[in-house]
Amino acid sequence: MKISPPRFSRPLLVGVLVLALAACASSRGLQPQGRLLDMDGLQAGHTLAGGGLSASGFPAADWWRALGDPQLDALVAEGLRNSPSLDIADARLRQAQAQVAGAHAERLPSLSVSPGYTGMRLPESMAGDAGGDYAGSVQAVLNFSYGIDLWGGKRATWEAAVDSNHAAAVDAQAARLDISTGIVQAYLELAHAWETQQVADEELARAEKTLALTRQRRSAGIDSDLQVRQAQARLPLAHQQQLAAQQQIDAARNALAALLGQGPDRGLQIARPQSLNPLALQLPGVLPSELLGRRPDIVAARWRVEAAGRQIDAAKARFYPSLNLTALGGVVSKDIGSLLEGGSTFGILAPALSLPIFDGGRLRAGLAGRDADYDLAVASYNHAVVDALRDVADQVNAVRSLATQVDTQQQAVSIAQAANDLALQRYRAGIGNYLDVLSTQDLLLQAQQRLTNLQSQRLLSSVRLSAALGGGFAPAENALPVAAVSDNKNS
C-alpha cells in the first residue's frame, strides 16, 4: 500500500524553500571604491618642454653602451648572468606559473582508480551463524568528479592567476633593469672615486713643488722656517685625501662584486673606468601616456589590478548555487578471477546541488576582502603612475641643471688654475707672498673637487633618467590589457 504525504506537507515544503531562498547570502551593497588614474590627465608639458622630444626617445635595451666603456658592458652582461637577485625573481615567476596550472586543473574533471582488497572476520557473538568465518573481497573502483563552473567563478580564478603570472614575468624583467642600473651606478661611483684620487694626486704634486720652492727661498734667505712649515702642513692633507679616495674605490669595487654575485676579490680585477660620455637627454614625444607601457613597475601594477578584479568575480560566484557531479563505478568479487563477471559490477551517480543560505557572513567577508584587495591594487597602480612621472621630471630637471653647472664650473677651474699659476710666478720672482700661493691653491682644489662631483652627478642623472623612462623595457608578451577592468567592479 502506497502512503501519501499529508496534504499540508507540500505548502510547508514550498514555504521552507521560499524562506531558504530569501535567506540566501547576498553580495548586495559590496563594491570596490578604487578608480584607475588617467595618465593623460597628469599635466607635465611645461615641465618637460624643451627636453629634446623625439618619436624614438625611449632608451634602447642596452642603453648603458652609450656610455662608451667596454669594461662596463662586460660587467653588466656578467651581472645579468650571475646575480642572485635574478634567481629570486625567476623563482617567483615559476611560483606564479605553478598557480596558473593549479587554477586550470580546478576547472577540469578528475578521474581516479582505487584497486584494493578488503578482509573481515565477524565475531559469533554479533553475527550468529555467519560469525567466526573470514571473508575477503577484491575491488577496483573508478571515481569521477566534476564541479561544473555554472557562474564562471573557476574561470575567474584561473584568469586572476594568469594576470598574476603576467605581473611576475614583468617583475622578472624589472629585476634585470634594477641589476643593470645598479651596476652602472656603482661603476659611475668607481669612476668618481678615481677622479677624486686624481685630484688628490694633483694636489699632492702641487704641495710638493711648493715645498721645494719654499725650501729654495729659505736657503736664499728670502723665506723663513714659518713658510716651510706651512708648506709641509699641506702634505698630510693631500695624503689624507688620497686615502679617502682609495677607500671610495675599494667600496665601489666591493659593491660591483656583490652585484655580480661574486666575492670582494672579483672587484680587485676591475680596472679604472675610462672617460664616460653622459647619456644624451632625449625625451619621447608621447609622454606621459606611453610611459604606462614602458615602465615595468607600472605594467606589473596594472596586471595586479586585473588580477584583483578577477578575484572579485570569483568571490561573487560563490554566492550562487554550485553543481557537482560524482560517479563511482567498479567491480568487486571474492577473488580476482571473478572480477570481470557481470554480477561483480556496481555503479553510483550522485549529482549534488549546493546553495549557500546561512554562512555566518563568511561569503560577504570574503567579497569585502577582495574589494579591498582591488582598491589596494588600484591605489598602488595610481601611486606608481604619479611616482614615475615625478621621477622622469626630477631627472630631466637634474640633467639640464647639471649640464649648465658643469660648464660653469669648468670655467671656474680654468680661472682658478690661471690664478694659481700667476701666484706661483709672482712668488718665484719675489714680488708675491706665500699667502697668495696658499689661497689660490685652496681655490683651485675646491674648484676641481666641485667639478669632479658635478660631472659624476651629471652622469648619474642621465643614467637615472634612462631607468625612469623604462630602461629599454619592451612589453611584447606582457603588454597592458587592451580593455580596462570592467566597469561593473565599481557599479
Side-chain angles (χ1 to χ4, degrees), residues 268-316:
L268 300 177
Q269 304 170 18
I270 301 175
R272 177 178 179 174
Q274 63 186 49
S275 180
L276 300 173
N277 306 316
L279 301 175
L281 173 59
Q282 190 177 23
L283 294 177
V286 291
L287 284 177
S289 60
E290 284 297 315
L291 193 61
L292 292 175
R294 295 285 183 168
R295 289 267 302 213
D297 55 340
I298 295 179
V299 175
R302 185 65 177 82
W303 275 119
R304 291 189 175 94
V305 171
E306 289 292 310
R310 304 299 183 189
Q311 291 289 6
I312 291 178
D313 294 336
K316 286 183 176 180

Side-chain angles (χ1 to χ4, degrees), residues 48-64:
L48 302 179
L53 297 179
S54 168
S56 58
F58 283 105
D62 54 353
W63 53 269
W64 57 84

Side-chain angles (χ1 to χ4, degrees), residues 371-447:
D371 288 343
D373 290 341
Y374 178 83
D375 292 342
L376 179 60
V378 169
S380 298
Y381 169 82
N382 292 343
H383 180 270
V385 168
V386 174
D387 193 61
L389 200 55
R390 176 202 59 79
D391 192 11
V392 172
D394 283 349
Q395 302 313 322
V396 168
N397 292 334
V399 169
R400 290 173 181 167
S401 175
L402 288 167
T404 304
Q405 292 182 57
V406 166
D407 293 339
T408 303
Q409 191 60 31
Q410 285 175 334
Q411 298 175 12
V413 170
S414 298
I415 294 172
Q417 183 67 61
N420 181 247
D421 294 342
L422 180 59
L424 282 173
Q425 292 174 6
R426 289 172 58 82
Y427 183 57
R428 290 192 186 99
I431 58 177
N433 60 59
Y434 184 67
L435 292 178
D436 291 337
V437 175
L438 291 178
S439 177
T440 57
Q441 282 184 346
D442 287 339
L443 290 175
L444 178 58
L445 175 62
Q446 294 173 12

Side-chain angles (χ1 to χ4, degrees), residues 14-26 319 321 353 355-358:
V14 173
V16 170
L17 180 60
V18 171
L19 289 176
L21 292 174
C24 284
S26 171
F319 284 80
L353 183 67
L355 177 66
I357 299 177
F358 299 106

